Amino acid sequence: MDEVIRVQNLSFAYKQDYEVLKNISLVFDKKSTAIIGQNGAGKTTFVKLLKGLLKPTSGEIYIKGYNTKEVSTAFLSKYIGLVFQNPNDQIFKNTVLEEVMFGPLNILKDKKQAQENAIKALEMVGLQDKMHIHPYDLGLSDRKLVSIASIVSMDPDIIILDEPTIAQDHKGNTIIKNVIKELKEKGKLVITITHDMDFVAEIFERTIVLNEGIILLDGNTREVFSQQEILKKAYLELPHVAQLAKKLGIKQTLLTEQELINFLKHNKLNN
Amino acid sequence: MVNLVVEHLKYRYPLGNELALEDISFEVKKGEFIGIIGENGSGKSTLCQAIVGLVPNFYKGAYGGKVLVKEIEVAQSDVSEISSYVGIVFQNPFTQITGSKLTVYEEVAFGLENLGIPREEMIKRIEESLKLLRLFEYRHFNPFELSGGQMQRLAIASVIAMKPDILVLDEPTSQLDPQGSEEVFQAIQDLAKNGMTIIIAEHKIEKIASYADKIILLHKGKLVDFDTPEKIFSREDIEEYGIVPPVYTRICKSLNVKNEAGFYPVTLEQVYYELVKVYG
Ligand SMILES: Nc1ncnc2c1ncn2[C@@H]1O[C@H](COP(=O)(O)OP(=O)(O)OP(=O)(O)O)[C@@H](O)[C@H]1O
Ligand SMILES: Nc1ncnc2c1ncn2[C@@H]1O[C@H](COP(=O)(O)OP(=O)(O)OP(=O)(O)O)[C@@H](O)[C@H]1O
Ligand SMILES: [Mg+2]
Ligand SMILES: [Mg+2]
């Protein structure tokens, strides 16, 4: 197993006597991973710590072997990119192209190469025709895609997406799914925070459930979605297909439309 | 009783090249729960803003037609005058937060003070809405210390506390956890049952399918259809408007399972009932 990130006894508090993350230990390899959990569970805080934007109150985080306490965020940004939950926290340039070029220009110091990377990333998210627009003239959904392209263009080994599907319609969702699949094929570790259980079921190999600062469940996505009682405690739900399968009395955890359709074609329901 | 009328509404933003809304007409009765669906850029947010008068009064631009809220023409009245009748939860919760209040509690109080609600009543409403949105324990937090979903909960709480006759919500649950989003839909359904009119723009198609009485389908600024969820999602051309029907409807389409009226089921209960009939 190639270890990409190691988190050891991580605790974090914004204010005294209010721990948001409590003694978390885990390892990420290259499996695409979803992080799910209720509002305020600590998901955004956790990924800001991975990115080195916040430093542990206690415990250690190693990104490709580098302790986030011992290296600068600028150094880490070659290895790890984070797409913020709110794109407005990330966008500050005057055109979409400049915005997406900013990251690679900083790392590569080569304008031509940076522009090439930026254009490729913009094509990936379907914004090549909006390159010369001011990012604030775009709707929230496109702005979110710009912020994804800005990170993809830097080509880090680890890419974290904090609620990428906010405000996306069906087409936008499909674009994001394809970006994640493509990054995975290139050998990147993709970690995604989301509240969309169907999205988790369809895309991610591993799922981690965070609840009140601790890890409640961690495993292969199908196994995690077989633990309905624990998920309920974490204010989560089953994916829509799994809800229907369960209601129909099917014992297996079915996650996709096709799985359910196949099941119905070959089995009789016993109720 | 009709309490929202939209007549031949047309609108273009000051810097827009095309009409964002084109000849939109519909009527909504008191206590109805109306969903607005459509692909990105189809005009959902613009329509929401037009119902509360921010279009055209705040955004300016070229405007034609009428929006009547309780027989008051919104374009002709100032936003503060109609704010006791209509409330809006914005798509981006950051836009909702005043930025000048130190606590979550004061943030909710702000809108109520502006309405001149008596103190006792104010305290009652603030507590009720904060509890409803599971924010009561965060009442002393600074709004900017909240997580994304908590901030969205705060935006909803502040508007619900004002008890408008017409409540407009623009993708209000996009950052909520799954149970939170279900709770919000249930809560606004209760409000509708008590006579509040609900207009909600949403991409969460399964939620709209199970909660909305009727759905407005927008495409490129035009109203394509205004009908019940089962009729809207049974349209053969629905995907041409960038809308994919609920998972349950898709499964029934693949298996060619329709209900007695000849429509595809759209909710969990309906699909369960039909599938058991065929495969049970
Ligand atoms: N302030 C603005 N100035 C100019 N054009 C705008 C403005 N806001 C929106 N538009 C344009 O008006 C059209 C409708 O946008 P609107 O935001 O209403 O769509 P929407 O259906 O809410 O989309 P989304 O699902 O992305 O929220 C789009 O073409 C959009 O680009
Ligand atoms: N800057 C801050 N100062 C103080 N407390 C904060 C700050 N940012 C977040 N918190 C608190 O830390 C907790 C975890 O927040 P975080 O943003 O990590 O949650 P989350 O799991 O990402 O939630 P969501 O699903 O709503 O985005 C919340 O209770 C929040 O109120
Ligand atoms: Mg978050
Ligand atoms: Mg919108």
Side-chain angles (χ1 to χ4, degrees), chain A residues 23-84:
Chain A
N23 198 24
I24 291 182
S25 296
L26 79 167
V27 167
F28 291 89
D29 56 17
K30 283 189 176 169
K31 279 198 280 298
S32 59
T33 301
I35 302 180
I36 60 180
Q38 76 180 102
N39 294 134
K43 303 179 296 297
T44 296
T45 306
F46 179 64
V47 297
K48 282 185 176 166
L49 281 152
L50 295 185
K51 165 85 185 148
L53 298 174
L54 299 170
K55 304 293 175 194
T57 309
S58 63
E60 319 294 326
I61 298 172
Y62 298 93
I63 302 295
K64 303 200 72 143
Y66 298 106
N67 188 328
T68 61
K69 282 181 194 164
E70 287 160 11
V71 292
S72 70
T73 4
F75 176 84
L76 276 178
S77 65
K78 277 180 252 174
Y79 302 102
I80 183 166
L82 167 62
V83 178
F84 285 114

Side-chain angles (χ1 to χ4, degrees), chain A residues 44 85 162-163:
Chain A
T44 296
Q85 185 162 352
D162 196 350
E163 301 196 29

